[in-house]
Amino acid sequence: MVDLKQFISAIDQIAEEKNIPKDKVIETIEMALAAAYKKDYGERGQNIRVRLDQKTGQAQFFQAMLVVDESMILSEEEIAALEKEREEKKSVLSDQEKVEPRADQGKNISAPAASAIPAETEPEEEEETAERKIRFNPKRHIMLEEAQKIKADVALSEELLIPLETKEDYGRIAAQTAKQVILQRIREAERDVAYETFKEKEGDILSASVQRIERGIVYLDIGRTTGVLFPEEQIPQERYRIGQRLRVYVVRVDKDHRGPVIILSRQHPRIVAKLFELEVPEIASGVVEIKAIAREAGSRSKVAVASNDPAVDPVGSCVGQRGIRVTSVINELGGENIDVIAWSDDEAKFVANSLSPAKVLNVDLDTASHTAQVEVSADQLSLAIGKRGQNVRLAAELSGWRIDIKGAEKVEMESEKTDEDVSGEVSEVSDESNQSEA
């Protein structure tokens, strides 16, 4: 004998342990009771509903029936036509299989696959809608005239609940069926809750620990579920070890039949912004704003910041006293160099700032080609370009301008050469004029 009150006392515990809403647990128990009732006392084709009273622990059982009329039911001729059409489709598929044998033909079904086949299956029901006719099933459908005798104000396509005799004694098979339903529905509810929870965290960073590493893919424990760090989302040359704790950026959360698939990243530029948000209160409060980020993960990043309060220095806020704030971010990213740059609405000035730590003498913007001609002193040229062009490359990404850098001496030489060409042309013109006069 099943004591329904024991279910009620366990609801709060299940909901708390599995982090599932209480209503979802109750719904699961109701479905399990309906499955058990149908197994022992119901009939094939019946649609059983259960309502569980949380206060008394008593369950009410109903047979759910759809209210229909003649216009919603398939006629015998229409049923015959549908059967003929299905037979023709089966014949065509059978002929195709003979011509093109299935890839799995001749293979034995594995034990897990065989056990997954339900012991009792029912024919697939026609879609029960007013727009589409249905095949009448006396176990699931009731004519409008009969339904009105039970409930006077019943409407077409309404689900009518007809009370059934309450049962509390169930056999072993029915109890096992109920158990399977509960376990399956609880797992589904856990997956749904995990998906909704982490879907809200897209674009945030999480603290995670390395769970396992397989073929370059790192699986991280992020609490109640596992996130995936693919090789393309990892910082180059960064090595991971089991149990290591690190912060990761939630790129995307996908839904899968096995649960949520949480794609994590250590390479995404936004992880830099989120780490600064954790370390710099002025960013968290909105006084200082991160305007743009350019990053080559594992090597160097440039972060452009602006202040909404004239009294607050945005660069100083991010760097912190003796560089403590920016150092914390650098350490979290495995020693990656970070340049904090002042944002400016003046695009020429911003281009000059983006080339930091190099000092810029002059910037000319060509809006037609969206190119910035930058002049630096000779001793700053290599610094402005950076190792393998990294500094100018990141500056161009940060500012959105194509940057062309020239050293001051080179500019002067070109200017002198132009002057010489002009003076030479003038001399030639004067010589020609003298000769003509003579």
Side-chain angles (χ1 to χ4, degrees), residues 216 218 220 228-236 238 240 247-252 262-269 271 295 297:
V218 182
L220 299 113
V228 185
L229 188 65
F230 290 109
E232 60 269 21
E233 296 294 345
Q234 299 171 16
I235 295 177
E238 189 172 52
Y240 306 99
R247 285 194 172 101
V248 289
Y249 180 80
V250 182
V251 178
R252 190 176 72 254
I262 303 163
I263 311 300
L264 306 174
S265 177
R266 291 273 292 168
Q267 195 176 91
H268 201 284
I271 192 174
R295 186 184 187 207

Side-chain angles (χ1 to χ4, degrees), residues 47-229:
N47 195 356
I48 305 297
R49 295 278 192 276
V50 178
R51 287 180 180 172
L52 192 61
D53 190 327
Q54 299 182 45
K55 295 181 179 178
T56 64
Q58 295 299 315
Q60 291 179 297
F61 297 84
F62 303 90
Q63 180 176 355
M65 304 189 77
L66 184 71
V67 180
V68 298
D69 64 5
E70 293 293 343
S71 66
M72 300 169 62
I73 301 173
L74 290 166
S75 65
E76 291 184 2
E77 293 79 8
E78 289 172 327
I79 292 174
L82 283 174
E83 291 293 342
K84 184 179 179 181
E85 185 181 347
R86 286 178 180 176
E87 288 298 327
E88 290 175 352
K89 287 182 179 179
K90 285 182 181 179
S91 177
V92 171
L93 290 173
S94 178
D95 292 341
Q96 288 177 349
E97 286 184 355
K98 288 177 182 178
V99 176
E100 300 176 3
R102 294 183 308 171
D104 60 347
Q105 190 171 352
K107 294 182 180 179
N108 295 326
I109 299 176
S110 62
S115 63
I117 301 174
E120 179 184 350
T121 58
E122 295 182 2
E124 185 178 350
E125 292 294 324
E126 298 286 346
E127 187 178 352
E128 299 178 347
T129 63
E131 292 79 12
R132 182 174 178 178
K133 287 188 175 183
I134 59 176
R135 183 180 297 189
F136 186 81
N137 183 343
K139 301 295 182 184
R140 289 177 175 266
H141 308 129
I142 185 171
M143 299 303 293
L144 179 61
E145 296 79 8
E146 294 295 324
Q148 287 174 338
K149 294 177 183 178
I150 301 171
K151 184 182 177 184
D153 60 346
V154 72
L156 279 175
S157 301
E158 181 181 338
E159 189 178 67
L160 182 65
L161 298 179
I162 301 174
L164 297 173
E165 183 183 356
T166 299
K167 302 290 185 179
E168 294 187 355
D169 294 328
Y170 300 97
R172 181 182 60 82
I173 295 177
Q176 185 68 18
T177 300
K179 178 183 176 182
Q180 290 175 351
V181 170
I182 290 175
L183 292 175
Q184 178 183 350
R185 294 294 176 178
I186 290 293
R187 282 195 295 266
E188 289 176 0
E190 281 186 285
R191 289 195 290 265
D192 290 342
V193 169
Y195 173 78
E196 294 298 333
T197 299
F198 286 99
K199 189 68 177 176
E200 295 175 356
K201 294 182 179 180
E202 281 186 347
D204 289 340
I205 60 171
L206 302 173
S207 180
S209 62
V210 179
Q211 197 174 66
R212 68 182 192 277
I213 304 171
E214 295 178 3
R215 298 178 181 178
I217 301 174
V218 182
Y219 296 89
L220 299 113
D221 180 5
I222 53 177
R224 295 188 178 274
T225 190
T226 301
V228 185
L229 188 65

Side-chain angles (χ1 to χ4, degrees), residues 293-330:
I293 298 174
R295 186 184 187 207
E296 292 186 1
S299 179
R300 191 174 186 179
S301 292
K302 285 181 179 288
V303 182
V305 294
S307 175
N308 297 318
D309 184 348
V312 177
D313 175 18
V315 175
S317 298
C318 294
V319 173
Q321 189 176 12
R322 296 181 181 178
I324 189 170
R325 291 176 176 177
V326 72
T327 301
S328 298
V329 178
I330 289 171

Side-chain angles (χ1 to χ4, degrees), residues 186-433:
I186 290 293
R187 282 195 295 266
E188 289 176 0
E190 281 186 285
R191 289 195 290 265
D192 290 342
V193 169
Y195 173 78
E196 294 298 333
T197 299
F198 286 99
K199 189 68 177 176
E200 295 175 356
K201 294 182 179 180
E202 281 186 347
D204 289 340
I205 60 171
L206 302 173
S207 180
S209 62
V210 179
Q211 197 174 66
R212 68 182 192 277
I213 304 171
E214 295 178 3
R215 298 178 181 178
I217 301 174
V218 182
Y219 296 89
L220 299 113
D221 180 5
I222 53 177
R224 295 188 178 274
T225 190
T226 301
V228 185
L229 188 65
F230 290 109
E232 60 269 21
E233 296 294 345
Q234 299 171 16
I235 295 177
Q237 287 81 47
E238 189 172 52
R239 297 292 176 261
Y240 306 99
R241 62 183 186 279
I242 305 299
Q244 177 185 358
R245 295 201 65 83
L246 44 81
R247 285 194 172 101
V248 289
Y249 180 80
V250 182
V251 178
R252 190 176 72 254
V253 180
D254 297 331
K255 203 167 190 177
D256 188 79
H257 67 280
R258 293 170 296 181
V261 179
I262 303 163
I263 311 300
L264 306 174
S265 177
R266 291 273 292 168
Q267 195 176 91
H268 201 284
R270 290 297 303 169
I271 192 174
V272 180
K274 288 296 179 179
L275 288 171
F276 269 109
E277 190 174 320
L278 290 176
E279 297 294 336
V280 183
E282 289 84 352
I283 293 179
S285 65
V287 175
V288 174
E289 183 181 354
I290 294 178
K291 290 286 190 177
I293 298 174
R295 186 184 187 207
E296 292 186 1
S299 179
R300 191 174 186 179
S301 292
K302 285 181 179 288
V303 182
V305 294
S307 175
N308 297 318
D309 184 348
V312 177
D313 175 18
V315 175
S317 298
C318 294
V319 173
Q321 189 176 12
R322 296 181 181 178
I324 189 170
R325 291 176 176 177
V326 72
T327 301
S328 298
V329 178
I330 289 171
N331 292 339
E332 182 60 45
L333 296 175
E336 181 176 315
N337 293 321
I338 297 178
D339 298 333
V340 182
I341 294 160
W343 168 273
S344 177
D345 292 327
D346 183 342
E347 294 188 333
K349 185 178 180 181
F350 182 49
V351 169
N353 292 346
S354 67
L355 286 166
S356 174
K359 296 179 181 179
V360 175
L361 298 177
N362 185 47
V363 177
D364 289 326
L365 302 179
D366 183 353
T367 55
S369 62
H370 206 68
T371 301
Q373 298 287 344
V374 178
E375 179 186 350
V376 297
S377 59
D379 61 336
Q380 293 289 304
L381 184 60
S382 60
L383 187 62
I385 295 172
K387 187 177 180 180
R388 298 177 182 174
Q390 185 184 62
N391 192 58
V392 68
R393 187 167 57 248
L394 288 174
E397 183 182 343
L398 189 73
S399 64
W401 286 82
R402 182 178 178 274
I403 300 176
D404 185 11
I405 301 178
K406 292 184 178 180
E409 288 184 358
K410 186 177 181 181
V411 172
E412 289 174 3
M413 288 175 66
E414 288 180 354
S415 177
E416 289 173 0
K417 185 178 180 181
T418 303
D419 293 341
E420 288 174 1
D421 293 341
V422 171
S423 61
E425 290 175 3
V426 172
S427 299
E428 289 176 3
V429 170
S430 5
D431 290 342
E432 288 175 1
S433 62

